[in-house]
Structure formats: structure tokens, C-alpha cells
Amino acid sequence: MVGVASVPYWVYFRLVNTQTNTLSYKVYITYDIICGTSSIMNLVMISLERCISVTQPAIHRNLSRKTICVTIAAAWAYALVVASVSRISGSYLEWYPIFVSTASFFLPLFIILVAYALI
């Protein structure tokens, strides 16, 4: 989703349409954050699943299909919440870039590093 839709629009907004206050740009930014965050959160879920499979094989063996579906849905829900925070107040918040980078990169990075350290 990032490569097919997000990157071409990024190129479009950088080369053709440089206005950043348009509705289409705000929709693009929200879509980009959803795609990027959900991608990273799915990597977090994979690292946690691998950690459980190595450190707790009995628990991993008993994971149901429902549990796996819930974790995938949780990754997407997390991405939707992160992307929607700026839209709640109706304006672009000054602290929003810091929030997105922390919630979408630094926190997932920490969780992945801990999971692989445990492995």
C-alpha cells in the first residue's frame, strides 16, 4: 500500500502540487501515516509471535486463529488511532510529529529489540 499509493502521491505533492493546506494533502498524510504505522505494527506483531514461539512454545502451539486475527486487527486499529489524533482537534498540532514518530517508530522499535533480545 505504501509503494502503490503513498509514494506516487508523495512524488505528486512534492513536484506538482506544493500546497499543504488542501484537503487532498491532509487525506494523503493521514493515509500515509495509517499505511506506515500499520506496516510497522505488523512487524511488531511478527516479532512478538516469534518471541513467543521460541520462549513459550506451549503457549504458541495453542494460539487460535481468532487470537491471530485480533492481533492483526489491533495493529490496524492502532494505526488508525495514531493517524486520527490530529483530526480530533480539527487542526494540525505542534506536537503531532513527535507523537507520530514516537508511536509509529520509537516505541515499535523498542518492542522489536526487546523481543529479539529475548530470543
Side-chain angles (χ1 to χ4, degrees), residues 32-119:
D32 186 49
I33 292 170
I34 290 170
C35 290
T37 304
S38 65
S39 175
I40 293 170
M41 291 311 295
N42 277 295
L43 290 174
V44 168
M45 297 304 175
I46 289 169
S47 68
L48 291 175
E49 184 269 335
R50 289 178 180 172
C51 181
I52 292 170
S53 72
V54 171
T55 61
Q56 306 282 328
I59 292 173
H60 183 264
R61 207 172 306 120
N62 295 324
L63 287 177
S64 67
R65 183 177 198 88
K66 181 180 177 182
T67 303
I68 294 169
C69 290
V70 166
T71 59
I72 293 170
W76 281 94
Y78 181 83
L80 288 169
V81 168
V82 169
S84 300
V85 167
S86 72
R87 305 300 170 237
I88 291 172
S89 70
S91 64
Y92 188 75
L93 305 172
E94 291 179 9
W95 54 267
Y96 186 67
I98 296 169
F99 168 73
V100 169
S101 61
T102 302
S104 298
F105 180 75
F106 293 114
L107 179 62
L109 175 65
F110 177 74
I111 294 169
I112 290 171
L113 290 175
V114 168
Y116 283 116
L118 290 173
I119 291 174

Side-chain angles (χ1 to χ4, degrees), residues 9-18 20 25 28-29:
Y9 279 115
W10 177 81
V11 170
Y12 168 75
F13 282 113
R14 291 293 172 228
L15 297 177
V16 178
N17 186 1
T18 58
T20 59
Y25 183 76
Y28 156 71
I29 291 295

